[in-house]
Amino acid sequence: MPLFSHQQLRALLQQHLLRVNTAPEIAQKVADNLVEASLKGHDSHGVTLLPRYIRAILAGDLNANASLQTVREEGAILSFDGNHGFGQLLGEQAMAAGIARAEQSGVAIVGLANSHHLGRIGAWAEQVAAAGLVSIHFANVAAPSAVLPFNGLHARLGTNPFCVGVPLPGRPPVVLDFATSAIAGNKARIAWNERRSIPEGCAVDAHGQPTTDPGVLMTEPRGALLPFGGHKGAGLSLICSLLGAALTGGETESHQIPPRAGIINNMLSILFDPQKLGAGEQYQHALLAQIDYLREGQEERDVQIPGEPERRAYTRRQHAGIYIDDVSWREFLELEALNQ
């Protein structure tokens, strides 16, 4: 597998985006976001997505230079439409607007519909946490259903991410960010590219039989991913679709969306100032006390706080570089022909 520095990848991604007439400032933002996701260990949401983005632009399913459109403003509620623009731009703009509104009123509820792929939702929680605000995010994937409902026979849900960000005084934020499926769909794609199995309990084949073969999710007849945690993950996935799409003006899985070149997301985000709740200014002490209590008396065990694996991966990959699997690298090499 080819190995690159993050600087090389930022330049490579920008170059390909500029060749399909993406504005330079947007190309840089998209490249930086994808590289940052890979640096943080999430190859599924990182640089290997670029060939699909390019194909989506050429197919007309990704509007490379679209900007955020305000649909409605009602007090603390903001509604936006992304017009299939780059989620790396739209997500940042929507969160910036939400931060400004929350700083005024203490809370903001932000709806974002019809954005192209929002990438790693944790990036938006980190942006909000840097402003000292807590955020909760419910996102859905407007694509063919890929996840079984609990006790279901046919896929009716998306991988629908859920994310929470909590700022900590003097420390990195707690960022809980996960797909409501047992694994993210793009993690299965990476496993398929690398000819690896996926863990048991993550998927079934087209006949409903448990499998560790990611190929059943990539080729016809397709199988399905399972929700994490049985009925709990399935229920949270449904909530992500109801709040993230049905209430924001996006498409839920009930639209029975056919396969498409792009990746369309919808998201509802709740941002608020933690100082305005019951703990007041004492909230920071309470947060740190609980984090420290998790580790207290655990001997040599490495008790994991959400967000720590990403920070460890970031430190490691900044120095060691980022691998691109061979299948994805061939797709990069084929981009020249796609742009002809």
Side-chain angles (χ1 to χ4, degrees), residues 7 22 37 40 46 68 110 122-123 134 156 161 163 167 175 177 198 223 231 244 246 284 298 314 328:
Q7 296 95 334
T22 305
K40 292 182 177 179
L68 201 63
V110 181
V134 174
R156 291 291 185 269
C163 180
V175 178
D177 178 20
I198 56 176
H231 66 283
Q284 294 184 336
Q298 304 288 1
Y314 193 91
S328 295

Side-chain angles (χ1 to χ4, degrees), residues 6-199:
H6 66 94
Q7 296 95 334
Q8 288 174 313
L9 287 172
R10 291 178 205 274
L12 177 64
L13 268 59
Q14 287 184 58
Q15 172 191 333
H16 282 300
L17 289 165
L18 291 172
R19 293 181 69 234
V20 289
N21 300 315
T22 305
E25 63 275 13
I26 297 177
Q28 180 178 350
K29 198 171 294 293
V30 173
D32 286 344
N33 177 278
L34 293 177
V35 171
E36 290 289 303
S38 289
L39 280 171
K40 292 182 177 179
H42 293 283
D43 295 311
S44 56
H45 290 65
V47 297
T48 63
L49 284 170
L50 187 80
R52 180 165 182 181
Y53 285 10
I54 299 294
R55 291 193 294 269
I57 292 172
L58 297 176
D61 208 22
L62 165 52
N63 184 353
N65 296 302
S67 58
L68 201 63
Q69 176 188 350
T70 301
V71 176
R72 183 174 299 169
E73 291 189 49
E74 296 285 346
I77 300 178
L78 304 170
S79 294
F80 300 107
D81 191 285
N83 298 304
H84 288 203
F86 271 119
Q88 285 78 6
L89 172 72
L90 305 175
E92 182 180 279
Q93 291 178 336
M95 291 306 100
I99 289 167
R101 190 59 53 97
E103 289 175 341
Q104 292 174 357
S105 62
V107 65
I109 300 175
V110 181
L112 173 57
N114 302 313
S115 168
H116 194 263
H117 191 226
L118 285 163
R120 189 178 68 89
I121 306 301
W124 315 129
E126 291 164 358
Q127 178 185 350
V128 176
L133 303 174
V134 174
S135 63
I136 308 169
H137 309 264
F138 305 87
N140 101 313
V141 185
S145 297
V147 182
L148 290 183
F150 181 68
N151 206 29
L153 290 174
H154 305 289
R156 291 291 185 269
L157 296 167
T159 54
N160 302 351
F162 172 74
C163 180
V164 179
V166 183
L168 298 178
R171 302 184 193 177
V174 173
V175 178
L176 178 70
D177 178 20
F178 56 78
T180 50
S181 50
I183 57 171
N186 276 320
K187 290 188 185 297
R189 173 181 61 85
I190 295 293
W192 188 49
N193 287 353
E194 296 179 354
R195 299 181 180 180
R196 291 187 287 106
S197 298
I198 56 176

